[in-house]
Amino acid sequence: MWIALVHPPIYDFTAYDLWLRPLGLYNIGAYIKKFTPYDVILLDYMDRESSLSPPTRVKKYGTGNFPGEKIEKPEPLKPVKRYYYRFGIPRQRMEEYMRGLETPLAVLITTGMTYWYPGVQEVVESVKNIWGSVPVFIGGTYATLMPEHASKYGNVVPGEVNGRVLEILSQLTGKKITADHEPLPLFSLSKRKSSVMTTTRGCPYRCSFCASFILHRYRKKGKDRVLSEIEELVRLGVEDVALYDDALLIDADNHFKPIFREIIRKKFPIRFHLPNGIHVRFLDEEVAELMAGAGVKNIRLSLESVEEEFLERSSPKLHLSEFERAVANLERAGYQREELVAYVIIGVPGQNARSVEKTLDYLRRMRVRPSLAYYSPVPGTADFKLLEKEGYISLNDDPLLHNKLMFPYLGYSEITEVEFERLRQKAFDIVFALHQAL
Ligand code: SF4
């Protein structure tokens, strides 16, 4: 008997594989493998290196474009003048593969952005066609933020699931199954040379646009636990690891620093990457040196905006002076400014083009690459509540309207479609020029 773990396809205008991996399913898979007699199979529609996937170029460190198929744009997204795609392993190929398997005991589907729910819908249709009335459970971000909407597709399991999967299986089988320890994530569910892990969960801050506090309770993993996870990844031959922490550097003296000293001492044959914006406030000289010493390659810094008023109101995690000090520390540790990336938020309620432009100009002067982070209204956040109060959006609306490219059309940001395109071009030009300077 086996359990199907599913990472659904993505329906969107764009999608890029910046180490997008179903870490939650690796955790769930570990509990099932360790504490039950059942086997697990991961149906990862987003695995570009699966034999089921059309070939794609695996860039340096394991990132790259997902295979995509152009499809008709759904009605609510019609104003966006871009092509709309279904990304991932083609439906027919996955269905053929599923037909070759026996009916599982249960299907557990993870979810991402709320506006990616058509991927969940597709998986549930395939499951019903092929395996009939097998119980379906839906967890992850969309299920946690919009449980009512997600309940159309299956039983919703909000929040982090981890060991709670055993309660689900106890109920299904009528046999009490418990865990006596927290197993290491089942990283072996993926055969790729790049993987993901975290050393912390959640974040103690409350930025007005971010749902981290709803999705995870903030906590740190112990040093030994983190090192065991890395050792397991090394054992599996993984060469690149993205740390998907929201709060990697908080309490760095007691968390990041001791862990990274040990990583350096053990000389793990692994390159680390930090794709989530890191907190510049805590990036002191020693943190920068440890990053360089441990071979951290991609470093993305949280900046969001140069408007101090915005930072204070919506993103109280930094001041500009802290950003500048962090960049200087990284430069001193051996990084070139031009290889650093800073996130710039675009499309937040009330924001105008001038404000984004100022932030881009600032980064050009700082010689740090901007990466535009398109604002998406996330249910449960302070910004979403404000937009609801002001009548721009409602929880009853189609979640497709949360799409990251919809902000110029919903009226809450002052940035027009034309300005958005101009700012995108400007960000691209700055990145191109900085790249040339490397
Ligand atoms: S600091 Fe980052 S992770 Fe934490 S709440 Fe703000 S945006 Fe979210």
Side-chain angles (χ1 to χ4, degrees):
M1 218 22 160
W2 68 288
I3 316 285
L5 303 178
V6 187
H7 184 201
I10 292 176
Y11 285 64
D12 205 340
F13 296 100
T14 59
Y16 187 76
D17 184 7
L18 197 64
W19 301 284
L20 182 74
R21 307 296 150 76
L23 183 56
L25 295 182
Y26 298 169
N27 287 322
I28 291 171
Y31 278 93
I32 300 173
K33 269 298 238 198
K34 198 92 200 169
F35 301 108
T36 79
Y38 310 121
D39 205 354
V40 282
I41 295 181
L42 173 63
L43 306 176
D44 188 351
Y45 284 77
M46 303 314 292
D47 180 357
R48 300 185 295 122
E49 294 174 64
S50 155
S51 57
L52 298 174
S53 176
T56 58
R57 189 160 84 85
V58 181
K59 290 193 194 161
K60 205 165 136 195
Y61 310 140
T63 62
N65 293 307
F66 287 116
E69 179 201 347
K70 212 184 285 172
I71 55 170
E72 206 194 321
K73 221 181 301 178
E75 199 51 44
L77 300 176
K78 286 273 157 62
V80 182
K81 293 181 195 70
R82 301 258 198 121
Y83 291 124
Y84 191 69
Y85 295 86
R86 176 200 176 280
F87 294 100
I89 291 173
R91 179 172 185 163
Q92 211 187 336
R93 282 203 204 170
M94 189 59 97
E95 288 190 347
E96 267 165 36
Y97 176 69
M98 287 162 74
R99 276 183 225 284
L101 301 168
E102 300 171 21
T103 304
L105 178 65
V107 176
L108 276 61
I109 306 174
T110 188
T111 59
M113 308 303 283
T114 52
Y115 52 89
W116 289 349
Y117 76 86
V120 180
Q121 195 173 12
E122 179 201 305
V123 170
V124 171
E125 274 170 24
S126 297
V127 165
K128 291 222 151 61
N129 289 341
I130 297 165
W131 294 324
S133 58
V134 57
V136 172
F137 296 87
I138 303 180
T141 304
Y142 155 64
T144 303
L145 300 176
M146 303 200 72
E148 231 170 276
H149 195 275
S151 67
K152 282 192 268 188
Y153 306 115
N155 305 290
V156 171
V157 195
E160 283 180 36
V161 178
N162 298 333
R164 282 160 59 216
V165 69
L166 300 183
E167 291 165 25
I168 295 173
L169 295 179
S170 298
Q171 272 175 18
L172 277 182
T173 59
K175 288 181 214 136
K176 183 133 185 69
I177 313 168
T178 52
D180 56 14
H181 68 277
E182 191 186 339
L184 295 178
L186 197 58
F187 293 120
S188 58
L189 283 174
S190 165
K191 301 284 172 269
R192 299 173 76 172
K193 292 271 175 234
S194 54
S195 194
V196 296
M197 62 174 283
T198 60
T199 75
T200 55
R201 294 277 43 197
C203 173
Y205 287 100
R206 291 280 184 279
C207 297
S208 62
F209 45 84
C210 175
S212 181
F213 75 101
I214 307 170
L215 300 170
H216 307 284
R217 181 176 55 79
Y218 171 60
R219 62 207 190 272
K220 295 183 283 233
K221 290 182 185 172
K223 183 175 81 176
D224 291 347
R225 164 81 192 192
V226 172
L227 294 169
S228 304
E229 290 193 20
I230 299 172
E231 272 156 17
E232 175 63 3
L233 289 164
V234 171
R235 192 184 70 79
L236 293 169
V238 169
E239 294 166 356
D240 287 281
V241 175
L243 296 181
Y244 259 106
D245 295 63
D246 283 338
L248 180 68
L249 298 185
I250 287 181
D251 192 20
D253 287 344
N254 296 308
H255 183 72
F256 179 87
K257 290 180 185 176
I259 290 174
F260 268 68
R261 278 186 210 121
E262 206 53 24
I263 287 175
I264 294 173
R265 200 181 66 76
K266 294 204 170 211
K267 296 193 174 72
F268 289 121
I270 269 184
R271 289 177 293 257
F272 291 94
H273 309 277
L274 308 178
N276 269 8
I278 49 174
H279 290 117
V280 292
R281 174 167 294 167
F282 308 110
L283 211 163
D284 63 21
E285 278 183 42
E286 191 183 356
V287 166
E289 276 161 22
L290 289 168
M291 283 181 181
V296 175
K297 293 291 173 205
N298 281 276
I299 299 182
R300 295 186 169 225
L301 308 167
S302 273
L303 172 64
E304 320 298 5
S305 171
V306 287
E307 308 270 17
E308 291 277 1
E309 195 224 316
F310 168 82
L311 293 178
E312 237 161 74
R313 179 172 30 92
S314 290
S315 181
K317 61 195 173 222
L318 80 145
H319 293 293
L320 269 196
S321 57
E322 293 167 329
F323 180 80
E324 284 160 24
R325 196 191 51 139
V327 170
N329 286 338
L330 287 168
E331 193 174 33
R332 207 169 301 127
Y335 290 97
Q336 284 182 268
R337 284 173 176 249
E338 291 82 357
E339 63 184 314
L340 304 174
V341 175
Y343 283 115
V344 176
I345 199 159
I346 179 165
V348 281
Q351 192 183 34
N352 60 31
R354 184 71 207 111
S355 156
V356 180
E357 191 133 34
K358 263 165 75 181
T359 308
L360 294 177
D361 286 333
Y362 169 80
L363 286 172
R364 190 207 315 260
R365 288 195 303 277
M366 288 287 289
R367 305 203 324 273
V368 171
R369 297 181 189 206
S371 173
L372 290 178
Y374 306 149
Y375 172 75
S376 151
V378 183
T381 59
D383 279 354
F384 194 95
K385 287 179 188 151
L386 180 81
L387 293 178
E388 255 189 321
K389 205 166 120 205
E390 294 181 350
Y392 288 109
I393 208 156
S394 146
L395 254 193
N396 301 322
D397 290 337
D398 191 324
L400 288 173
L401 291 176
H402 307 163
N403 190 287
K404 63 186 188 294
L405 291 181
M406 276 302 285
F407 70 83
Y409 311 98
L410 295 175
Y412 50 76
S413 143
E414 291 174 24
I415 300 169
T416 63
E417 196 185 329
V418 175
E419 287 171 330
F420 178 37
E421 283 312 314
R422 185 171 54 76
L423 291 165
R424 265 170 33 90
Q425 187 59 46
K426 179 167 180 147
F428 178 84
D429 291 345
I430 296 173
V431 170
F432 186 75
L434 291 173
H435 184 72
Q436 299 292 91
L438 261 181

